[in-house]
Amino acid sequence: MNKHQILAEYASYFTGTPLLVNAPGRINLIGEHTDYNHGFVMPAAIDKSMFLAMNKSGKPNTVKVRSSDYDQDETFNLGASSRPFNSWRSYIQAILQELEARSKSLSGFNCVFGSDIPVGAGMSSSAALCCGFISGMNGLFNWELSKLEIAQIAQAAEHRIGAHVGLMDQFAVMHGKKDHVIQLDCLDHSYEYIPLELKDHSLVLINSNVKHELVDSEYNDRRVSCEKALNQLQQLRPEINTLRDVNMADLQNADFLHPTDLKRVQFVLHENHRVKQMSKALKQSRFQEAGELLYQSHWGLSQEYQVSCPELDLLVDLTKQEQGVLGARMMGGGFGGCSINLVRHDELDNTILRIMEQYEQQTNITPESYMVSIEDGVKLIEE
Ligand code: GLA
């Protein structure tokens, strides 16, 4: 769905010249499930994105939204009590409620949106929708919200619908910078842009095309497990504020932790460390090491944090027979979606093809692959 199609569709449903917003999806190179544990992450915005055309309607209370991809329309009444919406509608309703709770003044408007970010692939199509929609309203109603504030409102909207996500996706969607990954400290939101100069290598995503049920409940369960462990560790050593203040010596004395919670904490500690190692490896073009870090991260996500699934494990295992792959891991929340692979340019197509063929043979699921380029975050486009 490109911007011309969205503008044309807007013109066929509504009048006036709309504001156009481009909101990208994101990848995450490393640092998974660390964001809500006040740790480190390394995401980037990508060239798969959503366009939203939005304009005030002159009506006081009515918000009309059309999803071009789903060919669905909905009317939301500002100030009305909530209804049991699902899919994209629930995000829009949650955003409107969140803005109302923050006393933002707004009036009726229309929106048409469409995207080429695959849904359920772990590329944050929901963060693109929420951040894009709020950014558009920010433009229409001159609220002058910062990128961080928009990211936080988008996160709060996800919490309203029961997904207790961290801030990584929204932050990346808002702050993305072309050809750079963002090393973000999720404790104080300080960040550094690291140039992604992969030389003879590319990042390739392979979509397992699996999306397990119960993703949200499993995700929330991991969060609860970490919070429980943190509380218990704070009783041991009150100076601990977040999991990143925990060291390996603390864990050696932590036989009061449930073994499952202990594994989760160990993963978070190691994953935070891996983000810092990745940062050094990238700056010094040590790609072999970068690949190794991806494999280590996957092992931890699969065995310690237990958010992988057989299909993602298979996708990663298949790469180990391939000379051209330096490293791979599952990406995002888990239980399905994509793997991210660091692959040598020469033989890239054949390598990915072989992995995909074997995956299909063994699972009967047809995977997809995407070469992604790293792009800027949300943009308002003046036509
Ligand atoms: C999802 C969440 C993020 C983050 C990742 C796992 O994408 O939205 O906040 O927790 O999972 O790293």
Side-chain angles (χ1 to χ4, degrees):
M1 189 57 64
N2 65 38
K3 66 176 182 181
H4 302 293
Q5 289 167 309
I6 288 295
L7 286 171
E9 199 161 321
Y10 188 91
S12 69
Y13 279 81
F14 305 113
T15 52
T17 307
L19 176 73
L20 190 64
V21 184
N22 183 231
R26 67 104 188 88
I27 56 164
N28 184 26
L29 188 56
I30 201 157
E32 220 65 89
H33 287 272
T34 43
D35 60 351
Y36 54 83
N37 284 309
H38 302 103
F40 301 96
V41 293
M42 199 176 276
I46 55 172
D47 56 340
K48 298 216 166 285
S49 67
M50 174 174 289
F51 283 101
L52 305 94
M54 299 166 74
N55 200 6
K56 289 185 194 170
S57 61
K59 305 210 171 95
N61 288 320
T62 322
V63 175
K64 289 191 171 181
V65 185
R66 170 167 174 76
S67 162
S68 169
D69 304 324
Y70 290 99
D71 190 18
Q72 290 171 346
D73 306 278
E74 193 62 62
T75 301
F76 301 86
N77 291 314
L78 296 173
S81 52
S82 63
R83 287 171 48 192
F85 285 127
N86 56 22
S87 80
W88 63 270
R89 295 176 168 92
S90 59
Y91 291 104
I92 304 291
Q93 174 168 264
I95 291 167
L96 294 173
Q97 288 173 340
E98 184 60 33
L99 290 166
E100 202 177 351
R102 291 172 191 238
S103 306
K104 291 285 164 209
S105 81
L106 63 147
S107 57
F109 64 98
N110 301 320
C111 171
V112 175
F113 72 93
S115 152
D116 64 2
I117 310 168
V119 174
M123 288 189 232
S124 292
S125 56
S126 61
L129 171 60
C130 294
C131 291
F133 196 75
I134 300 164
S135 297
M137 293 174 76
N138 191 37
L140 288 181
F141 300 109
N142 299 316
W143 293 330
E144 300 190 350
L145 294 168
S146 69
K147 290 181 186 180
L148 179 61
E149 285 170 314
I150 293 175
Q152 287 169 326
I153 295 170
Q155 180 195 28
E158 297 228 23
H159 288 186
R160 275 179 182 264
I161 58 176
H164 296 285
V165 294
L167 190 64
M168 169 172 76
D169 304 348
Q170 298 80 2
F171 196 95
V173 168
M174 292 307 302
H175 294 79
K177 179 172 170 175
K178 189 167 177 52
D179 298 329
H180 291 72
V181 290
I182 310 167
Q183 187 181 339
L184 169 66
D185 180 335
C186 298
L187 182 60
D188 61 8
H189 305 138
S190 58
Y191 60 100
E192 180 189 349
Y193 287 119
I194 302 175
L196 191 66
E197 288 162 354
L198 294 176
K199 300 193 175 151
D200 300 333
H201 309 85
S202 293
L203 289 177
V204 183
L205 305 186
I206 306 183
N207 191 346
S208 65
N209 272 330
V210 170
K211 191 177 187 323
H212 283 283
E213 305 267 310
L214 300 175
V215 175
D216 284 353
S217 65
E218 288 285 348
Y219 182 97
N220 294 342
D221 171 78
R222 296 303 181 278
R223 191 171 181 148
V224 168
S225 176
C226 290
E227 283 164 2
K228 191 172 106 205
L230 175 64
N231 276 330
Q232 290 173 300
L233 286 159
Q234 283 169 329
Q235 283 163 29
L236 177 78
R237 206 157 61 78
E239 310 86 85
I240 295 173
N241 289 314
T242 71
L243 282 190
R244 72 199 235 192
D245 302 327
V246 174
N247 56 44
M248 285 302 165
D250 294 325
L251 294 187
Q252 269 151 23
N253 300 322
D255 45 10
F256 49 85
L257 290 183
H258 189 285
T260 307
D261 297 340
L262 177 63
K263 273 201 287 190
R264 310 280 193 250
V265 174
Q266 275 167 339
F267 167 77
V268 172
L269 264 55
H270 289 137
E271 186 74 351
N272 276 333
H273 185 59
R274 283 190 282 267
V275 175
K276 293 184 186 161
Q277 286 179 296
M278 180 64 87
S279 170
K280 286 189 205 143
L282 288 181
K283 287 175 184 164
Q284 295 167 11
S285 302
R286 286 187 273 116
F287 300 117
Q288 206 72 43
E289 183 184 336
E292 194 44 46
L293 289 166
L294 295 182
Y295 279 135
Q296 287 172 15
S297 172
H298 184 79
W299 183 87
L301 286 159
S302 175
Q303 303 300 315
E304 295 178 318
Y305 217 70
Q306 296 175 298
V307 290
S308 186
C309 60
E311 294 84 356
L312 284 169
D313 287 346
L314 175 63
L315 273 181
V316 172
D317 279 348
L318 289 171
T319 66
K320 294 185 178 157
Q321 306 155 14
E322 295 290 342
Q323 296 267 313
V325 181
L326 281 75
R329 66 175 195 84
M330 55 148 277
M331 188 183 79
F335 308 104
C338 287
S339 65
I340 180 166
N341 302 264
L342 182 61
V343 190
R344 282 201 189 89
H345 276 166
D346 41 318
E347 290 288 309
L348 184 139
D349 291 347
N350 288 337
T351 303
I352 297 299
L353 211 65
R354 271 195 302 271
I355 295 169
M356 293 191 15
E357 273 170 10
Q358 291 185 52
Y359 177 80
E360 182 159 359
Q361 269 170 23
Q362 295 189 37
T363 60
N364 272 326
I365 305 169
T366 308
E368 281 162 90
S369 67
Y370 320 99
M371 292 274 299
V372 285
S373 65
I374 306 302
E375 300 296 332
D376 288 333
V378 166
K379 277 184 285 208
L380 302 196
I381 303 171
E382 306 289 338
E383 282 299 301

